[in-house]
Amino acid sequence: MKPDRLAAALASLLLCSAPAFAAPPGSSAPASSASTGSDSGPTESLTERLMKPLSSTTTGTVTVEGKAISYKAVAGTLVIDGTGSKESTPEVAMSYFAYFKQGVDPSKRPVTFIYNGGPGSSTVWLHMGAWGPRRVVTNDDTHTPAAPYQLVNNDYSLLDASDVVFIDMPGTGFGRLLPQGKDDAARAADRKELAKKIWGVDGDAHAFSRFITQFLSKYNRWNSPKYLFGESYGTTRSAVLAAILEGDDNIDLNGVILLSQILNFGTSIDGPGADPGNDLPYVLALPTYSATAWYHHKLPKYDGEKLEQLLKDSVEFAKTEYRDALYAGSTLDPSKEKAVAEKLHEFTGLPVAYLIKANLRVSGGMFEQQLQISDDLATGRLDTRFSGPEMDPMAKESEYDPQSAAISSAYVSAFNDYVRNELKFGQDMKYRPDVYDANFNWDMKHRTPGAPPWDDGSGTLNVMVDLADAMKYNPNLKVMLNGGFYDLATPFYAAIYEEDHLPIPQSLRKNITYAFYPSGHMVYAHIPSLKQLHDNVAAFIDATDNQGGGK
């Protein structure tokens, strides 16, 4: 019997029915300071300081679901050298924040490497919202008031199940590219070359693989059960990184945990109009449109506790009548087009006339702009439960994401306070939450494993083969997919579609598990979903760490 991914997704609705609270659940014991020292002389430049690893060590206690856990925290940087002729030449300093449970055998303790995506983002979001010992308090689906922000004990830190290592992408956090040269011009040229080499699908994954192997040696964790946890583009990175670790570095992973997955960018609902003839994004986003319209009371037929039925109906319509209508293209009969538009209206809340004008094809930005335009509101992208004033009511697509605007200040401000006052690191350094500036350019080229020599990796990015290769290379590798029903950046039905189309033998399908939540891209921003996410991930680690408990 083949598994029903949709049924698994809908069953998740029953697991997160408790109300969400913005109030703090209590505070953890303060971390005690035991800094190893990271200050340098005032004449030394930041690049010069970062040529050597920096670190600060503190201790603390977190209470996870009623159980107190003592931990050691290390905030610092590792220096990643080049390869080949530049094997001993520093190329990038990557910042990290590691938490180790005390009083256990570290060689048998699971360790999970965690990162956000972007590409171009640090890991402040998963650190302060999901798995660290401290959590920033934000409103559930509205704009969080300005400072002062609350930092509280994280009842759902992952430290009960695994040691955790938050890794910031090269160029973000306290890390920087490390250009070499005898003068400013030479260093500027080298920086340009480093950016070209590292800021891309393959260069980034190789930098992470070298970080992980160095970390395993530095902290003597080669024999620990190992996990990757990536969010958003971090799931793309995980697919490539898993293939590198397994195939090149001879490191078998116990598990790969994916949150808000995107492996095939041909399924993205962001700007699909640039790829005419590919109608798949519209089909895969429709269930998220439906869930969002229901949340904002735009679907009277499904008012009340009818989300589960709505999603079943929406998926069925999307993969049958709607898909067929899009496939017909310009040959679609006008009467059929009108009939399909009327059904789309029932599933999206958008006007029939608008849907016909849009040729039945509504991008994510168009939906975000249109759903609540009668109230001059834009709908969130990362989390469609959020709304905010529309910047331009006459625009075709929404110009900003109300969810990002609602919580970013809280996360960034709370972290900058926490890292300096509790982790005792970075007092005279700048933490970059991202690297989105005029000099940032990401290379989306990727050479798929087994690609012919003439394939330079151009075209739409798709790393499904990478994940499949990792699973075939290590047939014991387990994969866990998590997603939110209100995520329009990486719609949940698109993630199901990708996993169902992984090129793996049927015998390996059982190695993939699924969990979905009534939340958005950052599932953990909704506290009942964070609890369920924690319990699911902790259970996944417990079932795959080859320990039999006792962590």
Side-chain angles (χ1 to χ4, degrees), residues 253-264:
L253 298 167
N254 294 66
V256 174
I257 307 165
L258 307 170
L259 176 63
S260 304
Q261 172 185 293
I262 181 165
L263 304 181
N264 177 5

Side-chain angles (χ1 to χ4, degrees), residues 82-268:
T83 57
S85 63
K86 293 189 175 183
E87 187 174 2
S88 299
T89 302
E91 290 190 338
V92 61
M94 295 175 64
S95 60
Y96 69 98
F97 307 89
Y99 297 89
F100 306 107
K101 182 179 178 179
Q102 294 187 311
V104 296
D105 181 356
S107 69
K108 297 180 179 180
R109 169 84 168 157
V111 58
T112 303
F113 297 97
I114 300 170
Y115 35 82
N116 280 101
S121 174
S122 71
T123 303
V124 64
W125 317 104
L126 283 165
H127 192 170
M128 301 309 293
W131 301 136
R134 304 277 271 162
R135 178 178 62 80
V136 63
V137 177
T138 58
N139 287 357
D140 182 43
D141 64 358
T142 59
H143 200 108
T144 299
Y149 301 107
Q150 284 185 293
L151 201 60
V152 300
N153 176 80
N154 186 3
D155 287 350
Y156 310 113
S157 168
L158 199 58
L159 269 168
D160 61 332
S162 172
D163 290 343
V164 291
V165 186
F166 300 93
I167 309 171
D168 290 324
M169 192 204 92
T172 70
F174 291 118
R176 299 292 186 270
L177 303 183
L178 301 176
Q180 311 285 323
K182 61 182 180 181
D183 53 34
D184 289 346
R187 285 188 291 272
D190 191 48
R191 185 190 186 281
K192 186 176 181 180
E193 288 302 311
L194 285 175
K196 183 178 180 181
K197 176 181 179 180
I198 295 173
W199 285 344
V201 177
D202 295 339
D204 168 86
H206 281 287
F208 269 80
S209 73
R210 293 201 293 275
F211 176 96
I212 289 172
T213 55
Q214 185 179 151
F215 184 95
L216 295 175
S217 294
K218 181 178 178 68
Y219 292 101
N220 194 24
R221 301 303 296 267
W222 278 95
N223 203 39
S224 296
K226 304 169 191 69
Y227 296 85
L228 303 180
F229 188 107
E231 177 184 341
S232 191
Y233 179 84
T235 65
T236 314
R237 176 185 292 130
S238 286
V240 182
L241 178 56
I244 293 172
L245 291 172
E246 299 269 0
D248 295 349
D249 297 324
N250 299 302
I251 298 174
D252 273 359
L253 298 167
N254 294 66
V256 174
I257 307 165
L258 307 170
L259 176 63
S260 304
Q261 172 185 293
I262 181 165
L263 304 181
N264 177 5
F265 282 70
T267 69
S268 176

Side-chain angles (χ1 to χ4, degrees), residues 36-111:
T36 62
S38 61
D39 292 333
S40 299
T43 61
E44 194 173 21
S45 73
L46 177 60
T47 299
E48 290 171 332
R49 290 178 57 195
L50 290 174
M51 289 290 183
K52 297 180 180 179
L54 306 175
S55 69
S56 172
T57 301
T58 57
T59 59
T61 303
V62 61
T63 301
V64 180
E65 295 189 331
K67 182 180 179 180
I69 298 171
S70 296
Y71 62 83
K72 178 178 75 173
V74 180
T77 60
L78 290 183
V79 179
I80 310 303
D81 292 342
T83 57
S85 63
K86 293 189 175 183
E87 187 174 2
S88 299
T89 302
E91 290 190 338
V92 61
M94 295 175 64
S95 60
Y96 69 98
F97 307 89
Y99 297 89
F100 306 107
K101 182 179 178 179
Q102 294 187 311
V104 296
D105 181 356
S107 69
K108 297 180 179 180
R109 169 84 168 157
V111 58

